[in-house]
Amino acid sequence: MTDEPSGSAPAPRPAKAGLEVVMHGVAEGLPSYARAFKAVVNVEVAPRAIVARTAPGALQEADRLWLEHARTAAVIDDEDCFLVPGADRDWVRVRRTAHTALSAALEPGAGSVVIAMSPDGRRLCALTEEDDDYWIVVHHFEDRPV
């Protein structure tokens, strides 16, 4: 573990999502952002949950389902922390707050994705926009040691 976040200053997306950036505790040897992205965005991905983007309260429901699946998959640790990509796509450790809404970090337009990874790099839970839906995607990196 290092005492500084991986990479440079975090992108503004954590702030948009109501996340608190934690300036320590990022593990070395984590899966790259490119690898995490590929695990979430590929033709073989099957979402754990789907919310129609046109449904009333769709963003709130997507946030609720993301949190439920992120907790179930142990992406969020006992201190409410997990990892998100920073400005240069290195991982930054963040903490959930009372104002966290991961959907706020989605860029406008279909195809946006927000990836959250467990602090140990073994699991991720993402919120994506897919055509007319929001998808919750969970992935386990099988090659990461326990």
Side-chain angles (χ1 to χ4, degrees), residues 82-104:
F82 54 95
L83 306 174
V84 296
D88 57 1
R89 300 291 189 211
D90 281 344
W91 297 105
V92 175
R93 187 177 172 96
V94 296
R95 178 176 290 117
R96 286 188 65 253
T97 69
H99 306 290
T100 296
L102 209 65
S103 63

Side-chain angles (χ1 to χ4, degrees), residues 1-7 21-28 93:
M1 311 273 302
T2 62
D3 288 333
E4 296 296 323
S6 178
V21 175
V22 179
M23 300 306 286
H24 57 74
V26 177
E28 295 177 13
R93 187 177 172 96

Side-chain angles (χ1 to χ4, degrees), residues 28-75:
E28 295 177 13
L30 296 168
S32 68
Y33 177 79
R35 184 171 177 213
F37 185 84
K38 186 175 180 180
V40 171
V41 181
N42 70 69
V43 296
E44 296 177 7
V45 169
R48 292 284 174 97
I50 298 174
V51 178
R53 289 175 59 189
T54 57
L59 286 174
Q60 294 82 3
E61 180 64 3
D63 283 325
R64 185 191 71 74
L65 287 168
W66 173 83
L67 180 59
E68 177 183 308
H69 286 280
R71 287 204 184 282
T72 300
V75 169

Side-chain angles (χ1 to χ4, degrees), residues 6 27 40 51 53 62 78 85-86 106 109 133 140 142 144:
S6 178
V40 171
V51 178
R53 289 175 59 189
D78 293 340
L106 290 170
D133 301 313
H140 298 268
E142 300 296 330
R144 297 282 299 163

